Amino acid sequence: MQLGLAFWGSKALLSAVELNVFSVLADGPLPGETLTAKLGLQARGAADWLDALVSLGMLERTGGAYANTAATGLFLDRAKPSYIGGFLEMANARLYPFWGSLTEALRTGSPQNEAKAGEEDFFAALYQDPDRLRQFLHAMTGLSMGAAHAIADKFPWDRYHTVIDIGTAEGGVPVQLALRHPHLAGGGFDLPPAGPIFTDYVVAHGLAGRLRFYSGDFFTDPLPPADVLIFGHVLHDWSLQQKLTLLRKAYEALPDGGAVIVYDAIIDDDRRANTFGLLMSLNMLIETPAGADYTAADCRAWMADIGFSDSYAEPLVGPDSMIVGIK
């Protein structure tokens, strides 16, 4: 029953993000009536909803006043650079209704998003709308921030000098790497509309002299050369043949001894433990024509077939792991 009705709690949180509850509470606790008025809600249902968020661990309540938890205050306040709610905003506006068609997706093998109604591909439309694109790329930064910090700590960066993040969004990963390791230079590669957003983000962190934007399409253009290339939350969007194409292009762009880092919500090899990775793969069924997540053993086998001399897998944070291939 808890699992079958888990969408109740999920939607309670997604509506809280949509209504900006956690930013409203960023300056401190508020009485329930005050918070309800600030959010523009009717009294009926508001108290039950707020108390459900308390019970779910998303809010704290002392007396009649509600406050953020440490986690929601850090990750769901829109004013903070650690905000990851952009991904939840997308989940609320797009993924929540699309997942209602999971049964059809399983029967047909076809996407259940905008493409189902013959609308323009989501990513093609996104990259044509500067405001939506900026919001989405910022959401991707928040989603990858934990992995970026873990990669900065766990990978032997003292052996390398240049790094380029492929499908970089606004550059959150290379910025964190450059901040942590002053000897590193490089940048990020993405479609041309992401360029100004990347530049603004890099300049805001004082790294314009060390990081630059590389413009292109990773399927039709060569990848820029660097000691280390990174694919973060990228490979799972694509078919097996497209995954192999990207890894081959990385191999060709790397020097001898260079490394590729692939990180995603890597499914455990026994396909039992990383529930998030398995559900993310179903999300790729909903969202893409042929994308799917994969195990560490899958990725390491692909790397070996392409010619990488060695590879290893290492957990990062949460459901994410990285696979490192050495040329």
Side-chain angles (χ1 to χ4, degrees):
M1 289 294 289
Q2 285 181 329
L3 181 58
L5 299 175
F7 67 93
W8 288 2
S10 175
K11 192 61 177 75
L13 173 62
L14 295 181
S15 289
V17 173
E18 179 182 2
L19 291 167
N20 208 22
V21 170
F22 307 102
S23 298
V24 171
L25 290 173
D27 293 330
L30 289 174
E33 290 184 1
T34 304
L35 180 57
T36 297
K38 281 182 172 288
L39 297 174
L41 306 181
Q42 294 296 316
R44 184 184 180 216
D48 289 342
W49 173 62
L50 292 171
D51 288 340
L53 291 170
V54 172
S55 182
L56 289 164
M58 299 295 100
L59 290 178
E60 295 176 349
R61 187 188 68 222
T62 303
Y66 295 88
N68 288 332
T69 68
T72 56
L74 179 64
F75 294 117
L76 296 181
D77 173 11
R78 289 178 184 166
K80 290 187 174 67
S82 49
Y83 179 67
I84 64 168
F87 193 81
L88 297 181
E89 291 173 32
M90 184 180 73
N92 189 46
R94 298 184 59 254
L95 302 183
Y96 186 81
F98 295 152
W99 266 74
S101 298
L102 176 61
T103 304
E104 183 176 347
L106 292 168
R107 285 174 172 158
T108 65
S110 300
Q112 300 299 308
N113 59 4
E114 292 89 349
K116 179 180 176 182
E119 297 178 23
E120 188 174 18
D121 173 77
F122 169 66
F123 287 106
L126 182 69
Y127 273 78
Q128 294 173 14
D129 185 331
D131 291 336
R132 285 179 66 206
L133 179 61
R134 185 175 293 272
Q135 181 187 44
F136 179 81
L137 297 186
H138 185 60
M140 295 303 99
T141 295
L143 189 65
S144 294
M145 191 61 68
H149 283 282
I151 292 169
D153 289 338
K154 295 188 175 190
F155 186 78
W157 291 107
D158 57 327
R159 305 177 193 173
Y160 304 94
H161 294 91
T162 56
V163 57
I164 294 176
D165 184 32
I166 309 299
T168 193
E170 66 179 0
V173 172
V175 162
Q176 289 305 314
L177 297 178
L179 288 173
R180 194 76 62 87
H181 301 283
H183 71 285
L184 285 178
F189 180 91
D190 212 314
L191 295 169
I197 301 169
F198 176 95
T199 299
D200 288 348
Y201 189 80
V202 167
V203 168
H205 287 82
L207 293 168
R210 291 165 55 200
L211 299 177
R212 56 161 288 197
F213 185 75
Y214 295 81
S215 175
D217 181 320
F218 50 45
F219 285 121
T220 58
D221 298 315
L223 300 183
D227 297 337
V228 180
L229 298 178
I230 300 175
F231 292 101
H233 299 149
V234 168
L235 291 193
H236 73 161
D237 289 334
W238 307 102
S239 70
L240 175 58
Q241 288 307 312
Q242 289 169 314
K243 288 177 172 71
L244 295 174
T245 294
L246 292 175
L247 288 173
R248 286 192 191 99
K249 294 183 78 165
Y251 184 86
E252 293 166 359
L254 289 169
D256 290 342
V260 62
I261 299 173
V262 171
Y263 72 89
D264 263 315
I266 305 294
I267 299 170
D268 59 290
D269 288 346
D270 197 36
R271 297 177 58 84
R272 292 177 184 271
N274 191 353
T275 306
F276 186 93
L278 291 162
L279 293 175
M280 178 62 82
S281 198
L282 289 177
N283 193 59
M284 294 302 101
L285 170 65
I286 295 287
E287 286 277 58
T288 69
D293 283 77
Y294 47 92
T295 67
D298 291 334
C299 191
R300 294 187 66 193
W302 303 334
M303 289 178 175
D305 289 345
I306 287 167
F308 286 91
S309 63
D310 194 15
S311 67
Y312 64 90
E314 187 165 358
L316 295 174
V317 63
D320 279 0
S321 296
M322 67 176 176
I323 316 298
V324 177
I326 308 297
K327 181 172 177 179

